[in-house]
Amino acid sequence: MKRFNIDRLLGFIVFLGFSLYFYYLLSTGKINMFISTRMIKYTKASLIGLCLLTFYQFTKIFTIKDRIPISKSYILLFITIAIGFSASQKGINIDIAYKKGVSTNAVKVTQTNVSQTTSSNTENEIPILNNKGEVEFSDKNYANSLYELEENLNNYKGKKINIIGFVYREDDFKSDEFVVARMIMSCCAADAQVGGVMCNWTNTASLQKDEWISVEGTVDSMVHKDQESDDSLILPVIKVSKIENIKKPDQIYIYP
Amino acid sequence: MEVRSNSKFKIRFILIMFFLIILTPFLSIFMQYKISFDFSFIQNFNTIFISIILEAIPFILLGAFISALIQEFVSEQLIAKIIPKNKFLGLLGAAFLGIIFPVCECAIIPITKRLIKKGVPTGIAVTFMLSVPIVNPIVLLSTYYAFYDRPSMVLIRGGFGLLVAVIVGFLVTCVEIGNSMPIKDDRFDLDDKCYCGCDSYNDLYNKHSKVKSLLEHTSKEFMNIIKYLIFGAALSSIFQTLVPKQSIAFLGHNQVLSVIILMLLAFVLSVCSEADAFIARTFLGQFTIGAVGAFLILGPMLDIKNTLMLFGNFKRGLVIRLIIYIALITISVSCLVNTLAMRGVIR
């Protein structure tokens, strides 16, 4: 009997395809488009596993064929690898932010905090002010800064702020409102949430949806009534003084 | 012809899910939200699809490997010695075993199948399968991290999740007494030494190296599971890319419907249980706490990926019954949570 197993050959090609794809993503750094940094170690480990299995499948090619017919599911796997390579060329389109909606941790209005204008809770404060006493949002501490700003808003009212993001506007925003937003990925692109800060600017009409900008302004607060739950939220808002167009950053996601 | 009707059923199931998911965008149009089928749809679909697959593959590999380890090194006799005679103790033990088994829901199905083959009673294996993805310490930690201002959520997810797992396992034990093996008849069962082909004669006379055997089982399980992962990821990505979140928010405050809607969402989104806490968090303002709890409890137990894998590995009747039990028990437990929350018992 001929010592050549087509089924095993296909299996070998599939495993080889996956191994090469994983290696490609890891070595070019494109893996960050799909998976959060803390999950990358699992991908690396599975690359090793896949290589092992690829090698094993190779050794089985020159064996006698089983009577099992070739499974049609190999087509599916080849298509997946093809989609993989094509997806890694372009990455995500910010349009998806509109499907996900902006999520916020803003504090609800209660009797006590509405009338408060002075500093409140300082015990759990995470420092987000830079040397000049301005609020600065960097990629590394973005999630923390956002949480801190929303939680202890009163501490930051009146301070200057610097933040970058893409322009996000919902239809029911007022004509001078927009959100300067980022995509926050905790595990993989599928669970990415949109977070950001509301901005007030007179020239908002000139802003294109999804363009990347750098915002400079002063921190203030506003009350926003949520339509469905009838709750009122205190949101941080930036009174914008300056906007600059920037190039879309290489790293569009925030990994908390 | 059990095998043929099962695969026809699988195809029908996939087609139904596909149409349901394609229809929801049209429902959204009725509610006047924009849908666009342009290039960005393909871009986003590809990215989300690949991200789900990339995230899941390490865990599927791990699950396939552990299943192969159990196949090689754990004998039926060992299992028979460990399982307690008392049904309740067995169920509770299986539920808590999840704490030391940090395995994702993708990985748990090949492991469970292997355990059942090795003689673990079906009900206990089911409780194990349902509780491991929830009581997983990594999952509980990420839930705590996502709900930092509402730590009760961790208790709701862990405690009530365990409860659902134990009750479902109990129901399965009661109903399945006397039923035959729940594993789907796989004509090409790779465990039997006799493969029904010439290659088996070679194997019988050669010494079976443990390493080779492990590699063989791991690859076979991996290839088996991955096609379900691909289908599940595709359906889930279509949904995510097409349907805006706002379109389901209107039911958020209804005590019962909010639970059902978020359970359906958890089923369709198929997000890994380590990350779904962050998505669940965004529902807090608009949905009842029971609904968010239901999302967190159902997600690790049942979603499109999982269900397809279950249909592929277990007998169709059992899977359908399992889905019904899980859905009903989760709905009741979550409505209970809502009631307790209204009385102020839970915050």
Side-chain angles (χ1 to χ4, degrees):
Chain A
M1 283 212 89
K2 207 162 59 155
R3 284 205 139 225
F4 187 75
N5 197 328
I6 299 257
D7 190 69
R8 294 287 182 172
L9 177 69
L10 289 175
F12 165 70
I13 296 182
V14 166
F15 275 107
L16 184 67
F18 273 117
S19 308
L20 285 175
Y21 181 57
F22 273 50
Y23 180 70
Y24 169 67
L25 285 181
L26 285 168
S27 57
T28 57
K30 291 198 179 194
I31 189 93
N32 287 309
M33 290 195 313
F34 303 108
I35 301 199
S36 159
T37 13
R38 66 192 179 119
M39 303 292 277
I40 291 191
K41 51 183 185 289
Y42 298 125
T43 316
K44 289 191 178 147
S46 60
L47 175 60
I48 299 178
L50 284 173
C51 287
L52 264 170
L53 291 176
T54 310
F55 184 67
Y56 173 72
Q57 289 289 330
F58 183 72
T59 61
K60 281 286 186 175
I61 297 184
F62 301 103
T63 56
I64 300 171
K65 232 163 66 148
D66 294 333
R67 288 207 194 130
I68 309 168
I70 303 175
S71 164
K72 295 187 202 62
S73 56
Y74 285 118
I75 303 181
L76 208 61
L77 292 156
F78 291 132
I79 295 182
T80 307
I81 300 183
I83 293 185
F85 278 107
S86 111
S88 61
Q89 301 313 313
K90 284 223 116 186
I92 208 162
N93 188 311
I94 296 287
D95 268 359
I96 196 125
Y98 293 91
K99 297 289 186 300
K100 295 190 186 250
V102 177
S103 41
T104 174
N105 296 326
V107 176
K108 293 215 182 74
V109 172
T110 59
Q111 287 299 68
T112 46
N113 58 21
V114 154
S115 41
Q116 238 173 11
T117 46
T118 51
S119 284
S120 47
N121 184 3
T122 43
E123 1 171 290
N124 297 323
E125 199 176 292
I126 306 164
I128 59 174
L129 302 176
N130 66 11
N131 315 357
K132 302 187 219 149
E134 301 170 349
V135 179
E136 197 172 312
F137 273 65
S138 70
D139 277 8
K140 279 215 168 20
N141 75 343
Y142 192 96
N144 277 338
S145 309
L146 196 55
Y147 168 63
E148 172 67 14
L149 192 64
E150 284 167 343
E151 228 7 53
N152 296 322
L153 183 51
N154 285 328
N155 295 357
Y156 301 102
K157 270 197 186 152
K159 295 231 168 32
K160 277 192 71 179
I161 179 171
N162 267 316
I163 184 174
I164 66 170
F166 61 90
V167 175
Y168 175 91
R169 268 183 62 84
E170 274 174 24
D171 292 329
D172 57 354
F173 281 10
K174 300 205 195 62
S175 61
D176 61 350
E177 286 179 342
F178 69 95
V179 174
V180 56
R182 293 298 294 269
M183 300 271 278
I184 304 182
M185 188 200 286
S186 41
C187 220
C188 65
D191 66 62
Q193 299 296 309
V194 182
V197 188
M198 187 66 115
C199 297
N200 255 329
W201 197 42
T202 43
N203 280 0
T204 301
S206 70
L207 286 174
Q208 299 267 33
K209 207 180 65 157
D210 306 341
E211 74 176 296
W212 285 83
I213 54 174
S214 150
V215 171
E216 246 180 63
T218 334
V219 177
D220 199 355
S221 74
M222 67 182 252
V223 175
H224 171 75
K225 200 165 184 339
D226 182 24
Q227 308 290 38
E228 274 97 22
S229 68
D230 281 341
D231 280 329
S232 289
L233 304 169
I234 302 183
L235 291 181
V237 82
I238 301 180
K239 297 257 179 273
V240 178
S241 56
K242 189 168 112 173
I243 290 204
E244 254 174 42
N245 279 48
I246 60 173
K247 199 170 62 103
K248 183 169 124 169
D250 287 325
Q251 194 90 294
I252 53 173
Y253 293 105
I254 304 284
Y255 310 104
Chain B
M1 296 299 279
E2 181 67 32
V3 176
R4 265 182 61 197
S5 65
N6 252 333
S7 52
K8 241 172 56 182
F9 175 79
K10 244 190 324 188
I11 294 180
R12 258 186 247 150
F13 174 78
I14 292 175
L15 280 175
I16 293 177
M17 289 299 319
F18 187 72
F19 278 121
L20 274 177
I21 292 192
I22 291 294
L23 277 182
T24 5
F26 292 111
L27 276 177
S28 310
I29 290 182
F30 274 117
M31 300 176 210
Q32 290 152 27
Y33 288 104
K34 288 189 301 186
I35 300 283
S36 47
F37 273 93
D38 54 17
F39 207 63
S40 73
F41 161 72
I42 301 187
Q43 224 182 311
N44 286 333
F45 170 80
N46 282 358
T47 307
I48 297 204
F49 172 68
I50 291 293
S51 76
I52 297 182
I53 302 232
L54 284 180
E55 189 190 19
I57 282 192
F59 300 102
I60 293 195
L61 215 44
L62 184 67
F65 182 61
I66 294 184
S67 161
L69 281 175
I70 297 179
Q71 163 67 8
E72 271 306 299
F73 297 113
V74 178
S75 67
E76 281 89 341
Q77 293 86 332
L78 182 62
I79 296 279
K81 267 198 290 190
I82 297 182
I83 302 291
K85 296 295 172 203
N86 183 333
K87 265 194 292 224
F88 264 124
L89 231 55
L91 290 174
L92 278 173
F96 282 101
L97 208 60
I99 301 183
I100 60 169
F101 237 96
V103 166
C104 185
E105 74 221 37
C106 317
I108 201 65
I109 294 189
I111 300 181
T112 309
K113 183 172 90 159
R114 189 66 70 189
L115 287 174
I116 294 185
K117 275 195 183 159
K118 287 281 180 180
V120 174
T122 315
I124 296 187
V126 164
T127 300
F128 174 70
M129 181 175 81
L130 296 179
S131 74
V132 162
I134 293 192
V135 184
N136 182 335
I138 306 180
V139 169
L140 289 178
L141 204 63
S142 80
T143 313
Y144 176 68
Y145 186 48
F147 288 91
Y148 49 84
D149 55 350
R150 213 185 244 255
S152 55
M153 215 60 200
V154 182
L155 278 177
I156 293 181
R157 181 177 212 178
F160 285 101
L162 265 187
L163 188 66
V164 175
V166 168
I167 297 181
V168 173
F170 180 67
L171 279 176
V172 169
T173 320
C174 295
V175 172
E176 304 293 327
I177 287 185
N179 279 3
S180 55
M181 273 277 266
I183 313 284
K184 207 170 83 155
D185 277 330
D186 217 318
R187 228 194 292 173
F188 314 117
D189 200 336
L190 44 94
D191 301 333
D192 301 343
K193 296 294 185 191
C194 181
Y195 291 109
C196 227
C198 303
D199 146 79
S200 62
Y201 292 112
N202 269 331
D203 288 352
L204 281 179
Y205 291 109
N206 292 343
K207 201 175 66 150
H208 244 317
S209 135
K210 291 264 185 212
V211 173
K212 267 200 182 159
S213 195
L214 277 181
L215 287 173
E216 176 69 28
H217 287 302
T218 309
S219 349
K220 280 266 163 78
E221 286 282 12
F222 180 80
M223 293 295 271
N224 184 28
I225 294 278
I226 196 129
K227 37 188 199 261
Y228 301 109
L229 171 71
I230 292 181
F231 265 124
L235 289 173
S236 163
S237 312
I238 293 182
F239 186 81
Q240 267 219 28
T241 329
L242 284 181
V243 180
K245 209 165 74 163
Q246 294 92 311
S247 55
I248 48 167
F250 67 100
L251 283 175
H253 290 285
N254 185 309
Q255 296 294 316
V256 177
L257 286 182
S258 61
V259 170
I260 298 187
I261 267 260
L262 277 198
M263 277 172 59
L264 284 175
L265 195 66
F267 180 78
V268 175
L269 282 187
S270 310
V271 180
C272 199
S273 40
E274 270 119 32
D276 58 7
F278 296 96
I279 302 198
R281 199 207 153 71
T282 66
F283 294 123
L284 261 187
Q286 297 165 307
F287 287 85
T288 58
I289 190 172
V292 180
F295 182 90
L296 291 173
I297 292 179
L298 190 78
M301 293 187 184
L302 268 190
D303 55 35
I304 300 189
K305 281 196 312 254
N306 246 9
T307 312
L308 286 173
M309 288 188 209
L310 284 173
F311 275 119
N313 285 298
F314 296 96
K315 285 206 175 123
R316 181 195 349 166
L318 173 69
V319 182
I320 295 183
R321 282 195 290 277
L322 208 57
I323 295 180
I324 297 180
Y325 299 154
I326 297 178
L328 287 178
I329 308 276
T330 312
I331 293 181
S332 357
V333 167
S334 307
C335 288
L336 175 67
V337 171
N338 267 340
T339 324
L340 289 176
M342 279 207 308
R343 300 295 172 89
V345 176
I346 298 185
R347 205 226 121 218

